[in-house]
Amino acid sequence: PWWRLLPLIIGLIGLLDIAPHPHALTHALERARLQQAQVDPAGAAQALARAAERLPNRPELWEQAGLAAMQGRQTETARTYLEQAQAAGALSPTGLLILGDAYFQAGAAGEAESTWKAALAVDVPSEEIYGRLLESARQHGDLDAQLEYMETLTSLHPADGELRYELGLLQAALNPTAALSTLAQAVELQPERQANTGDLIRTLRVAALQADEAYLQLAAGRGLAAMGEWDLAAAAFRRVVDLQPDYAEGWAYLGEAYQHLPASVGMGLTTLEHARSLDPDALSTNLLLALYHQRQGEHQTARNFLEHAAQQHPAQPQAWVELGHVLAILGELEDAYQVYQQAADLAPRESTYARQIATF
């Protein structure tokens, strides 16, 4: 800790004839020691900075002042002091790491990341740096950077099941082929993850058999959406439409995902309508448009989309059961019952639809 250096610094001052005000300097350092003892790191930082001003040949005092200021939650002051030490070539690896923290806390993410990456070249544990870089990437929603840093952290801690699980989810969104082995390893390390990860693993395995990258990416996004990982699901769906811009189902699911993300919620309907312009008869597009309008309380509009879906896909029980739900809301109970029965007749071995009738 910085205060342990104070007795040494004070002792060295007595040997320095070049100090312009030796008594004032000694007093300043003594004050810093006392203020630290009184749990006043901000006051200690100020005293150390004054000492650094009086001893230009001891620039490392600026770092000690900066570390004390950070301890006292004076981020801007800490940054100023640490930059002074850096300019004088007296910033230690620890000081470089903390300067990055000061930049980050001040909202200067670019400077923070540059400083932390510079610290990788000196004697700073890379785990600490990559942890900071990962947090910065998370705050800025940079999934590609998150994937890079998470892969590095996982390589540093291969037995950490939590890290491997988080890496697997990121890979499912950005590189689903790699996600299969990562998620399987995560379940081996944390068997309790099987309950909420098993469906995603099975989905990816089945989709991988199709040898269709866009379809695999879509399946990954749907699996992530089912887990409530909507930011990752949206990333997966964006990759679907990047791979295949005319893939209506990809656009439809992207429109659904946007509705679960506060920053993108206004893009939901526009994206769904774009999906419908590509394929007005697609089952998923009509179902998701109906769901959108139900959320707005526009049940008659939702009914129109569901009737169209049922007409175009009469063998799909999901279209009928959703239509039955809307008809029930609209008070058309007899028609709703008939539609529910239609869904159950289409899938007599599926207990889900029989339960729908019972609930109705």
Side-chain angles (χ1 to χ4, degrees):
W2 62 269
W3 61 86
R4 293 181 182 174
L5 298 176
L6 287 174
L8 175 61
I9 295 170
I10 293 170
L12 288 171
I13 290 168
L15 302 176
L16 296 173
D17 296 328
I18 61 172
H21 303 288
H23 296 296
L25 180 55
T26 302
H27 175 72
L29 289 171
E30 179 64 17
R31 182 184 171 203
R33 183 186 67 78
L34 293 173
Q35 286 173 325
Q36 191 283 325
Q38 296 168 6
V39 196
D40 182 9
Q46 185 178 22
L48 284 162
R50 289 177 179 171
E53 289 174 347
R54 290 174 170 83
L55 273 180
N57 63 329
R58 297 302 306 275
E60 68 272 17
L61 290 175
W62 285 115
E63 178 176 320
Q64 301 305 318
L67 297 178
M70 279 295 283
Q71 186 181 356
R73 301 181 185 277
Q74 295 182 313
T75 304
E76 291 294 330
T77 301
R79 181 173 68 174
T80 299
Y81 293 162
L82 292 169
E83 285 176 341
Q84 289 267 43
Q86 186 179 40
L91 197 59
S92 72
T94 298
L96 194 60
L97 188 69
I98 301 305
L99 176 58
D101 292 347
Y103 284 135
F104 186 69
Q105 291 180 26
E111 288 87 342
E113 291 174 13
S114 297
T115 304
W116 288 328
K117 288 178 179 178
L120 287 171
V122 294
D123 188 21
V124 177
S126 59
E127 178 183 352
E128 291 189 40
I129 298 172
Y130 281 112
R132 285 164 161 83
L133 288 168
L134 176 61
E135 180 59 28
S136 177
R138 281 173 171 164
Q139 289 199 17
H140 293 88
D142 188 340
L143 294 180
D144 290 312
Q146 288 181 49
L147 180 61
E148 176 189 346
Y149 302 140
M150 186 66 74
E151 286 175 341
T152 300
L153 285 170
T154 303
S155 69
L156 293 171
H157 299 279
D160 190 322
E162 187 65 25
L163 274 176
R164 198 163 292 275
Y165 170 73
E166 293 182 20
L167 173 60
L169 294 184
L170 275 168
Q171 288 177 332
L174 306 178
N175 184 11
T177 303
L180 269 171
S181 61
T182 303
L183 289 170
Q185 291 164 3
V187 171
E188 288 180 8
L189 292 167
Q190 293 183 319
E192 65 274 15
R193 289 287 185 191
Q194 179 64 41
N196 68 331
T197 310
D199 287 345
L200 177 59
I201 293 174
R202 285 188 290 272
T203 296
L204 292 175
R205 282 177 178 161
V206 172
L209 298 175
Q210 301 295 319
D212 183 331
E213 188 176 359
Y215 178 76
L216 175 59
Q217 198 75 62
L218 181 73
R222 292 179 61 177
L224 289 164
M227 297 172 69
E229 299 284 349
W230 285 105
D231 56 337
L232 296 177
F237 297 138
R238 280 192 291 268
R239 295 204 168 210
V240 171
V241 298
D242 286 342
L243 289 166
Q244 192 171 326
D246 61 348
Y247 198 167
E249 193 170 9
W251 285 103
Y253 277 104
L254 180 58
E256 172 65 19
Y258 280 153
Q259 295 173 66
H260 297 269
L261 302 175
S264 306
V265 65
M267 299 167 61
L269 179 58
T270 302
T271 308
L272 285 166
E273 289 176 339
H274 178 66
R276 190 164 187 266
S277 73
L278 293 170
D279 185 354
D281 298 332
L283 177 63
S284 57
T285 300
N286 282 280
L287 291 178
L288 292 172
L289 272 165
L291 180 58
Y292 172 85
H293 287 288
Q294 286 182 70
R295 290 183 180 130
Q296 312 309 311
E298 300 165 352
H299 299 294
Q300 185 58 53
T301 303
R303 173 185 183 171
N304 295 338
F305 285 113
L306 292 170
E307 286 179 340
H308 183 75
Q311 290 166 4
Q312 297 298 317
H313 304 274
Q316 291 292 333
Q318 187 64 31
W320 293 103
V321 79
E322 294 298 333
L323 177 58
H325 176 65
V326 169
L327 290 172
I329 292 174
L330 292 170
E332 300 182 26
L333 303 183
E334 194 65 39
D335 289 341
Y337 173 74
Q338 296 298 328
V339 169
Y340 275 128
Q341 188 63 58
Q342 175 76 7
D345 290 344
L346 286 169
R349 297 184 179 180
E350 290 287 340
S351 60
T352 299
Y353 302 110
R355 285 198 299 270
Q356 291 279 0
I357 294 177
T359 301
F360 169 74

